[in-house]
Amino acid sequence: MSTNDAERAPFPGHPGAARRVSDLLPVFPWDKLEPYKATALAHPDGLCDFSVGTPVDPVPELIQKALAAATDTPGYPTVWGPLELREAVAGWLRRRCGAEIGPAGVLPTIGSKELVAWLPGQLGLGPGDQVAYPRLAYPTYEVGARLCGATPVEYQDVDELDGTRVRLLWLNSPSNPTGRVLSADQLRRAVAWAREHRVLLVSDECYLELGWEAEPVSVLHPEVCGGSHEGLLAVHSLSKRSNLAGYRASFVAGDPVVVRELLEIRKHGGMIVPAPVQAATIAALGDDAHVAEQRTRYAARRAALRAALEGYGFRIEHSEASLYLWATRDESCWDTVAALAELGILVAPGDFYGPAGERFVRVAFTATDERVAAAVGRLRR
Ligand SMILES: Cc1ncc(COP(=O)(O)O)c(C=O)c1O
């Protein structure tokens, strides 16, 4: 390499390059958990991993069959998918959310995380715009703001926000990480605030079918939105309800004008759900029996873990829905993570979801019955 080479600008993407996008993003927090995972893994009876909300039970057979039957699809699928897919989504929204929405108001996405991360940029937000999300939240809302150069803003109550600067307002009910459910009245208030300020309200409802002590309501329900979907989107995923995290099956629904705009952009960007996954999504949305079956599994795991954690001295807050118990011993979350790792139990520290979570841990009850029973035994001893 000559001296000149050393002085030349780095390649885009190389360290030191101007505007390297990863420099705008928060540090990926999960690496911080690695030492605790190593401790937990060393437990003689093995690791009980409750740190990630990833399904572990089989993909329901009817969904596997639909995927398998659609493997011979050599041509390009469309971003919008076949009418049958959009009608399956509309049918599910009618049945499970009480929302009347035509096929023009729905769009398949490649897992909802992808949409959460890229939505602000796809809607043209950028420097000077604010993207607001709950004080304790799934970290990708912040990432989505940063990826497009917008300003991420946390809120506890929408009234605290500056309606002249916020362009996109995230709601998440049931919440990750707290499992909290917003009432129809709280949702109505957020909708009224967003409409008053012409802010797009996007409600992440991927745990909607996982209410335990509360009945989650969609922002698209007429009692919340007044029968109009203008300025509203709801984000849904099949990852949790149908054990389909591996398929990347999800959709967004709501304001048909915004949906059409997203469709245009995503067509140019080639953001296409694979045809076999589109077929699997149709089958999954047409069936509620597998969801009921999966809910029964989760309910038992949740009850067992909750009782064992409370018996061990934890207090559980919220957690009325979703796949998580939001637990505290009124100490630093990292002390709790360390203590549980000694028992071979791995949980997520609450500060992964915002500084307000720093005295809580998030316990995902997505492990097998056998692992849940093992953890319960250790907590009881
Ligand atoms: C609140 C919330 N939104 C979105 C997602 C992303 O789900 P997926 O990309 O699997 O659809 C998750 C995953 O855990 C989540 O907790």
Side-chain angles (χ1 to χ4, degrees):
M1 191 165 53
S2 71
T3 325
N4 267 356
D5 275 345
E7 283 166 3
R8 281 155 71 186
F11 287 106
H14 279 210
R19 291 189 300 276
R20 208 162 66 126
V21 176
S22 65
D23 294 336
L24 303 174
L25 301 179
V27 178
F28 198 66
W30 292 91
D31 298 343
K32 276 173 69 184
L33 206 53
E34 279 307 313
Y36 300 95
K37 187 170 186 176
T39 303
L41 270 167
H43 190 279
D45 181 35
L47 169 70
C48 298
D49 191 351
F50 306 135
S51 63
V52 188
T54 187
V56 294
D57 302 299
V59 171
E61 209 176 308
L62 95 155
I63 305 176
Q64 292 194 38
K65 280 192 175 145
L67 181 94
T71 48
D72 187 16
T73 46
Y76 288 109
T78 60
V79 171
W80 215 0
L83 181 61
E84 195 191 353
L85 171 59
R86 281 172 286 126
E87 281 179 341
V89 172
W92 179 86
L93 284 166
R94 191 176 309 117
R95 208 170 68 245
R96 303 297 290 194
C97 302
E100 276 308 324
I101 198 156
V106 308
L107 182 67
T109 56
I110 315 161
S112 55
K113 180 166 183 167
E114 164 266 296
L115 182 82
V116 172
W118 298 105
L119 181 71
Q122 289 179 356
L123 293 176
L125 304 194
D129 297 324
Q130 291 186 349
V131 172
Y133 50 87
R135 196 167 62 114
L136 278 166
Y138 180 57
T140 314
Y141 307 128
E142 176 188 345
V143 168
R146 293 194 183 279
L147 279 172
C148 70
T151 306
V153 181
E154 296 173 11
Y155 70 89
Q156 196 162 6
D157 189 293
V158 288
D159 286 330
E160 303 156 10
L161 293 168
D162 177 352
T164 64
R165 296 192 61 204
V166 176
R167 304 307 305 134
L168 193 158
L169 174 71
W170 282 105
L171 300 186
N172 177 217
S173 170
S175 150
N176 175 9
T178 65
R180 178 174 171 221
V181 172
L182 297 176
S183 67
D185 208 46
Q186 288 168 315
L187 292 170
R188 260 192 303 273
R189 248 180 12 93
V191 170
W193 181 89
R195 284 191 170 147
E196 184 192 335
H197 297 97
R198 310 297 283 176
V199 170
L200 184 71
L201 186 156
V202 191
S203 178
D204 182 346
E205 303 178 350
C206 70
Y207 299 97
L208 193 96
E209 288 190 272
L210 294 161
W212 310 110
E213 285 135 14
E215 189 62 56
V217 185
S218 171
V219 78
L220 302 180
H221 192 286
E223 282 178 13
V224 172
C225 67
S228 159
H229 300 135
E230 189 185 31
L232 304 179
L233 292 177
V235 173
H236 285 275
S237 173
L238 283 80
S239 294
K240 319 286 178 177
R241 91 182 271 278
S242 299
N243 300 342
L244 286 191
Y247 283 34
R248 316 310 297 132
S250 55
F251 57 89
V252 60
D255 188 331
V257 179
V258 182
V259 167
R260 168 61 66 172
E261 170 71 2
L262 288 172
L263 171 65
E264 282 312 308
I265 291 151
R266 294 165 67 88
K267 270 159 65 175
H268 284 290
M271 303 190 78
I272 312 173
V273 175
V277 175
Q278 294 187 355
T281 304
I282 295 169
L285 289 175
D287 180 66
D288 295 329
H290 74 273
V291 182
E293 212 176 287
Q294 187 59 39
R295 277 180 53 93
T296 306
R297 288 188 197 107
Y298 284 140
R301 292 171 191 162
R302 176 178 183 272
L305 270 177
R306 181 178 193 135
L309 287 166
E310 285 175 340
Y312 197 74
F314 280 92
R315 188 158 47 79
I316 310 286
E317 284 196 1
H318 300 303
S319 310
E320 59 264 25
S322 85
L323 293 176
Y324 311 109
L325 293 168
W326 186 238
T328 182
R329 288 203 306 184
D330 295 309
E331 63 184 5
S332 151
C333 59
W334 288 99
D335 290 344
T336 310
V337 167
L340 290 176
E342 292 296 331
L343 297 179
I345 297 171
L346 194 66
V347 297
D351 67 2
F352 277 11
Y353 307 92
E358 75 93 23
R359 292 173 85 76
F360 282 79
V361 293
R362 192 196 73 170
V363 185
F365 42 89
T366 47
T368 61
D369 292 345
E370 187 275 329
R371 284 293 85 188
V372 169
V376 167
R378 292 176 205 176
L379 290 165
R380 289 238 171 93
R381 238 169 267 138

